[in-house]
Amino acid sequence: MKRRECITLLLGGAAAAWPLAARAQQLAMPVIGFLSSRSPGESASDLAGFRQGLAQAGYVENQNVAIEYRWAENRYERLPALVADLVARQVAVIAALGGPVTALAVKAATKTIPFVFITGVDPVKLGLVVSFARPGGNATGLNIFITAIEAKRLGLLRELVPTAARIAVIVNPNSPEVESQVNDVQAGVGAIGWEAQILRVGSEAEFDTAFATLARSAAQALLVAADPSFNSQRERIVALAARYKIPAIYEARGYPVSGGLMSYGPNIADMYRQVGRYTGQILKGVKPADLPVIQPTALELVINLKTARILGLDVPPTLLARADEVIE
C-alpha cells in the first residue's frame, strides 16, 4: 500500500470513529428529568438559577449532563403523564418544580428515582419526607413556608394603604396549599380589622371575572396568594391590577419588575439554584435521604415606585427603608 493511501485510510477511519465516540459520550452522560407545572417562557430566570446550581456542583448542560424538560403549562392534569415519560426514560434524578403538585406527582410515580422538590407546604405532612433533617426515601428539597407569610404581606399592604377596609384575596382552588393560605389570610385580616373577600381562580379564563368582581365589591386592596400558576400569569395579573387601579401585593420579585406594585417573599431563582446544587450532589452519588430539607429564611421586599405614583400612593419612608429593592 502506498504511503498516501495508508494516510487516507487512517484519517478516514478516524473521521468515522468521531461520531461514534461522540455518540458514546452522549449516551454516557447522566440525564436529569426537569419537571415543572409552569411554562418555559416565564420560568427563564429561575431556570438560569437551576443551571447555576448545577454548575456549582460541577455539571454543565450538554457538556457532562443532559436535561430532559417537561412543562405542564399550568395544566396539572398533565403531570402524571409527563412524569411517567421521565420514569420510562430512566432518568438519573428528577427536579420536581412548580409547587407541591409536581412533587406529589413524582412521588406517586416512582419510589426509586431520586427527586428534589420545592414546596410551600410542610413536606412531612404531605408525605414527601419522613423528617427535615433525615428525609428518608427518595426525596429531598426546599420548604419555603410560603403560605405562612401571607399575613405578613397583609401587614405590608396595610402600611401602604392604611385607609383601606376591604381587601380582595385571589387564591388557586386547585392548589394543595389553598386551605392553609385562606386560614392564614383570615387570621391576618382579623388581626388588622379588615374585611376579606376570597376569590378562587382556578383557570386563566377566571382572572377577568375575579377582577370584575372585586371592582363591583369596592375592594380597596388586593393580595395575590403565592402560587406557581399565578407566577406564570403575572403579566396578565399585573395588567388587570393596573386596569382596575387597585393596589396589590404579590409573592415574588417578577411581579413588580413587570409593573406590579409590591412583592414580599423568597428569591425564587435562588431556590432553583439550591435545587440545582442538590441535583448535582445526587448525580455524584449522595443519597436524598442524607440531604436535609432546606428551609430558606431570607425574604425580599420589592417596591415599584413608578406604579405607586400612578396609583396616587405615597410610600412611607419607613417602608422604603426596609425594601431590598426599589424600582424607579
Side-chain angles (χ1 to χ4, degrees), residues 164-195:
R166 182 176 177 81
I167 183 173
V169 181
I170 293 179
V171 299
N172 181 2
N174 301 318
S175 170
E177 302 169 320
V178 64
E179 294 309 323
S180 296
Q181 287 175 317
V182 170
N183 291 339
D184 195 33
V185 165
Q186 289 175 336
V189 166
I192 61 179
W194 275 2
E195 179 185 353

Side-chain angles (χ1 to χ4, degrees), residues 53-314:
L54 273 180
Q56 290 172 349
Y59 290 95
V60 178
E61 186 178 7
N62 295 328
Q63 290 187 18
N64 59 353
V65 70
I67 305 178
E68 288 282 345
Y69 296 97
R70 299 293 183 273
W71 303 91
E73 311 239 6
N74 300 321
R75 293 173 55 189
Y76 294 166
E77 71 276 8
R78 297 180 59 193
L79 286 168
L82 293 174
V83 70
D85 181 48
L86 292 175
V87 170
R89 290 173 182 269
Q90 298 182 332
V91 296
V93 56
I94 297 174
L97 300 166
V101 288
T102 311
L104 291 171
V106 177
K107 176 180 170 57
T110 178
K111 291 181 171 59
T112 55
I113 297 176
F115 67 96
V116 186
F117 58 79
I118 295 177
T119 176
V121 180
D122 185 338
V124 176
K125 291 182 179 178
L126 287 177
L128 295 172
V129 297
V130 175
S131 71
F132 283 76
R134 303 286 295 178
N138 61 323
T140 188
L142 284 77
N143 178 220
I144 54 179
F145 283 119
I146 200 76
T147 55
I149 61 174
E150 301 293 8
K152 176 65 174 177
R153 290 194 187 99
L154 285 172
L156 292 168
L157 194 55
R158 188 189 188 198
E159 287 186 57
L160 191 54
V161 196
T163 58
R166 182 176 177 81
I167 183 173
V169 181
I170 293 179
V171 299
N172 181 2
N174 301 318
S175 170
E177 302 169 320
V178 64
E179 294 309 323
S180 296
Q181 287 175 317
V182 170
N183 291 339
D184 195 33
V185 165
Q186 289 175 336
V189 166
I192 61 179
W194 275 2
E195 179 185 353
Q197 178 183 24
I198 307 297
L199 301 171
R200 298 175 184 264
V201 177
S203 68
E204 296 177 22
E206 295 174 3
F207 280 111
D208 289 322
T209 301
F211 274 87
T213 299
L214 68 86
R216 285 196 303 271
S217 64
Q220 297 160 296
L222 169 67
L223 183 149
V224 178
D227 189 85
S229 70
F230 291 169
N231 288 343
S232 296
Q233 296 294 313
R234 61 177 175 262
E235 300 279 351
R236 183 177 183 185
I237 295 170
V238 165
L240 284 166
R243 183 196 304 173
Y244 286 93
K245 297 181 173 58
I246 186 162
I249 188 167
Y250 310 93
E251 164 193 8
R253 178 181 178 273
Y255 287 93
V257 168
S258 299
L261 176 61
M262 180 167 59
S263 68
Y264 180 71
N267 184 319
I268 297 178
D270 188 63
M271 291 191 300
Y272 273 58
R273 179 191 62 79
Q274 295 184 73
V275 170
R277 187 170 58 85
Y278 259 15
T279 300
Q281 288 181 257
I282 291 171
L283 287 177
K284 288 183 174 180
V286 180
K287 296 179 180 178
D290 297 328
L291 293 171
V293 174
I294 300 171
Q295 294 177 277
T297 56
L299 302 172
E300 57 182 12
L301 172 63
V302 182
I303 299 172
N304 189 316
L305 270 185
K306 180 180 178 181
T307 301
R309 294 189 191 103
I310 291 172
L311 292 170
L313 298 173
D314 292 322

